Amino acid sequence: MTFGKFALGRNFVARATYDSDLIEFLTAFAKSSEIAAASFTAIGALKYAKLGFYDQEKHEYMETPFSDPQEIACCIGNISIKEGEPFVHAHAVLADRYGNTKGGHLLEGRVFAAEVHVTELLGEKQLVRKKDEITGLALWDL
Amino acid sequence: MTFGKFALGRNFVARATYDSDLIEFLTAFAKSSEIAAASFTAIGALKYAKLGFYDQEKHEYMETPFSDPQEIACCIGNISIKEGEPFVHAHAVLADRYGNTKGGHLLEGRVFAAEVHVTELLGEKQLVRKKDEITGLALWDL
Amino acid sequence: MTFGKFALGRNFVARATYDSDLIEFLTAFAKSSEIAAASFTAIGALKYAKLGFYDQEKHEYMETPFSDPQEIACCIGNISIKEGEPFVHAHAVLADRYGNTKGGHLLEGRVFAAEVHVTELLGEKQLVRKKDEITGLALWDL
C-alpha cells in the first residue's frame, strides 16, 4: 500500500483563459505559482478537445479528437513532478449538445470557459512520477 | 491568468433532502449557512433531472430533460456570488439503469438521495460573477 | 436540512495497488490508517469493473459488469462508518478505448493504475450510516 501524507497548502480558484489549452493553462499556472503537488477539479466548456485511452497491453495511448463544443461535465486531476517539472494529469467527461458523453484522459481542451479549484498539497518529500515497469506509465514514486 | 487565493473555511457533509431539487437545496444551504464561496462534490441518485448545454455561438442554453431515475455518477460544482446572492453552479454526469450516461450543466435534479461535501473558501474579496462579454456567461470577476 | 460540520484532518495521496480491487483497497486503507470519515477523488484505469444502479422502486441494485479495460474518467466518493466499520461509497464514470462512457455506483474495479486523493474529515460525532426507511439505503444519520 503506497501512499504519502500531505498538509494542505494554498487554495486557488481560477478562471482558465479563453482560447487557451486547459492542460497548458494548468501547467503554466502550476509553474508560475510554484505548485509542486496539488489536486484539482474543473467544470466549464471546451471549444474542442482530445481524449486519450491508455492501451493496457500495448502500453500506448489511443487518441480521440472532438471538433465540436463540449461541456466539461467533470474534470478531476492532480499536479505532481515529472522529469523535474510540474506535470498536470487530468481525466474528464465531456458532453455534447445532446448531453451525450465521452470520457478519458484529457490530452487537449480548448477553453471556452473553465472554473478550476486547485488545492495545493505540501509533503515532506516531493510527489514525483517515475516510470513504472508493470504498466509502462509514469506513476508516483511514493 | 485570472485567479484568486483562498483560505479553507468550514467543511460540511450534507444529505440532500429527499424530493428536494438538488440545486435549490444547495442554494438554500448556502444561504442559511452564509456560504459565499465554496467548492463541492456530490454523489447519489435523482428521480428525474434536467441537463443543460450552453450553445457557444448562440449564447443560450439547450435543455435536455430526463424523466426516469438516474444515478449521480458524479457532480462537481461551486458556490459564488451572483447579483448579490449565493449562486450554485453544478455540472453532472448521470447514469441510467443500464449505466448509460448523459452529462452537462445540472439545471434541475429531484433528489432520491445525495451525499454532498462542501468546502468553504474564504477570500480577501468576494468571489463574484459578472457578465462576460466574450462568452455571454456570468463568470468570476477575479 | 441534515448536515454535519467537520474539520479537515489528514490528507493522503495514494497509488492503488496494481491488481487490487479499488473498493477493497480503499476500505483496507481506511482501516489501516484509522480513517472514520473522508471525501476522496480518483482517476486512473481499471482492467475490468462492475457498476451498480439502485432501483428506486424495487430497492435493489442492478449490476452491470465490464470485462474490458476502462479509464476511470472520474471517481468521487466518501468514507463513513457502517455497522461499526469504515465503509467506502464510490461512484464512477468509466470510459472504454473509444471514449464511450458508462457510469454508476462502483461495485468492483480491478486496478490497472489509480491515483487517489483522500481528505479526512474530523467531526464532533461519527459519520454513521443507518438504514433509511424511505429509500431503503444506508444513509448518513446526521
Side-chain angles (χ1 to χ4, degrees):
Chain A
M1 208 169 282
T2 46
F3 67 92
K5 224 167 108 180
F6 290 79
L8 294 178
R10 297 166 292 171
N11 268 259
F12 299 95
V13 156
R15 179 147 70 85
T17 309
Y18 180 83
D19 244 352
S20 69
D21 176 75
L22 185 56
I23 301 299
E24 288 175 5
F25 171 85
L26 288 165
T27 306
F29 182 69
K31 287 181 182 174
S32 65
S33 299
E34 298 186 330
I35 299 170
S39 190
F40 65 84
T41 57
I43 57 174
L46 300 173
K47 292 173 159 188
Y48 52 86
K50 192 187 283 181
L51 292 174
F53 171 90
Y54 187 74
D55 189 306
Q56 297 178 12
E57 292 191 355
K58 293 184 185 161
H59 287 192
E60 61 189 29
Y61 277 100
M62 276 183 60
E63 298 182 359
T64 309
F66 299 90
S67 58
D68 51 335
Q70 304 280 333
E71 295 283 317
I72 305 170
C74 86
C75 178
I76 292 173
N78 56 60
I79 297 166
S80 55
I81 300 295
K82 187 178 170 185
E83 294 166 13
E85 298 286 339
F87 174 81
V88 172
H89 181 206
H91 279 208
V93 181
L94 306 178
D96 71 12
R97 63 175 51 243
Y98 307 105
N100 294 323
T101 51
K102 295 278 181 174
H105 181 110
L106 186 64
L107 292 165
E108 290 175 23
R110 188 62 47 183
V111 172
F112 180 74
E115 301 177 348
V116 188
H117 175 210
V118 180
T119 300
E120 187 183 29
L121 298 168
L122 303 171
E124 283 180 22
K125 60 170 203 164
Q126 275 202 319
L127 186 59
V128 176
R129 290 186 180 276
K130 210 181 122 183
K131 175 79 177 276
D132 171 66
E133 292 306 323
I134 299 176
T135 60
L137 292 165
L139 299 180
W140 292 328
D141 183 27
L142 288 165
Chain B
M1 207 171 282
T2 46
F3 67 92
K5 226 167 108 180
F6 290 79
L8 293 177
R10 297 166 292 170
N11 268 259
F12 299 95
V13 155
R15 179 148 70 82
T17 309
Y18 180 82
D19 244 352
S20 69
D21 176 75
L22 185 55
I23 301 299
E24 288 176 4
F25 171 84
L26 288 164
T27 306
F29 182 69
K31 287 181 183 175
S32 65
S33 298
E34 298 185 330
I35 300 170
S39 189
F40 66 84
T41 57
I43 57 174
L46 300 173
K47 292 174 161 189
Y48 53 84
K50 192 186 282 178
L51 293 174
F53 171 90
Y54 187 74
D55 188 306
Q56 298 177 12
E57 292 192 356
K58 293 184 185 162
H59 287 192
E60 61 188 30
Y61 277 100
M62 277 183 60
E63 299 183 359
T64 308
F66 298 90
S67 58
D68 51 334
Q70 304 281 334
E71 296 284 315
I72 305 170
C74 86
C75 178
I76 292 173
N78 55 60
I79 297 166
S80 55
I81 300 295
K82 187 177 170 186
E83 294 166 13
E85 298 285 337
F87 174 81
V88 172
H89 181 206
H91 279 207
V93 181
L94 306 178
D96 71 11
R97 62 176 52 244
Y98 307 104
N100 294 323
T101 50
K102 295 279 180 173
H105 181 110
L106 185 64
L107 292 166
E108 291 176 22
R110 187 61 48 182
V111 172
F112 180 74
E115 300 177 348
V116 189
H117 175 210
V118 180
T119 300
E120 187 183 28
L121 298 168
L122 302 171
E124 283 181 21
K125 59 170 203 165
Q126 275 201 319
L127 186 60
V128 176
R129 290 186 180 277
K130 210 181 122 183
K131 176 78 178 277
D132 172 64
E133 291 306 324
I134 299 177
T135 60
L137 292 166
L139 299 180
W140 291 328
D141 184 26
L142 288 164
Chain C
M1 208 170 281
T2 47
F3 67 91
K5 224 167 109 181
F6 290 79
L8 293 177
R10 297 166 291 172
N11 268 259
F12 299 95
V13 155
R15 179 147 72 82
T17 310
Y18 181 83
D19 244 352
S20 70
D21 175 75
L22 185 56
I23 301 298
E24 288 175 4
F25 171 85
L26 287 165
T27 306
F29 183 69
K31 286 181 183 175
S32 65
S33 298
E34 299 186 329
I35 299 170
S39 189
F40 65 84
T41 57
I43 56 174
L46 300 173
K47 293 173 160 190
Y48 53 85
K50 192 186 282 179
L51 293 175
F53 171 90
Y54 187 74
D55 188 305
Q56 297 178 11
E57 292 191 356
K58 294 183 184 161
H59 287 193
E60 61 188 31
Y61 277 100
M62 276 183 61
E63 299 184 359
T64 308
F66 299 90
S67 58
D68 51 333
Q70 305 280 334
E71 295 284 315
I72 305 170
C74 87
C75 178
I76 292 173
N78 56 60
I79 297 166
S80 54
I81 299 296
K82 187 177 170 185
E83 294 166 12
E85 297 285 338
F87 174 81
V88 172
H89 182 205
H91 279 208
V93 181
L94 306 178
D96 71 12
R97 62 175 52 243
Y98 307 105
N100 294 323
T101 51
K102 295 278 181 173
H105 181 110
L106 186 64
L107 292 165
E108 292 176 21
R110 188 61 48 183
V111 171
F112 180 73
E115 300 176 349
V116 188
H117 174 210
V118 180
T119 300
E120 187 183 29
L121 298 168
L122 303 171
E124 284 181 20
K125 59 171 204 164
Q126 275 201 320
L127 186 59
V128 176
R129 291 186 179 275
K130 210 181 122 183
K131 176 77 178 277
D132 171 65
E133 292 306 324
I134 298 176
T135 60
L137 292 166
L139 298 181
W140 291 328
D141 184 25
L142 288 165

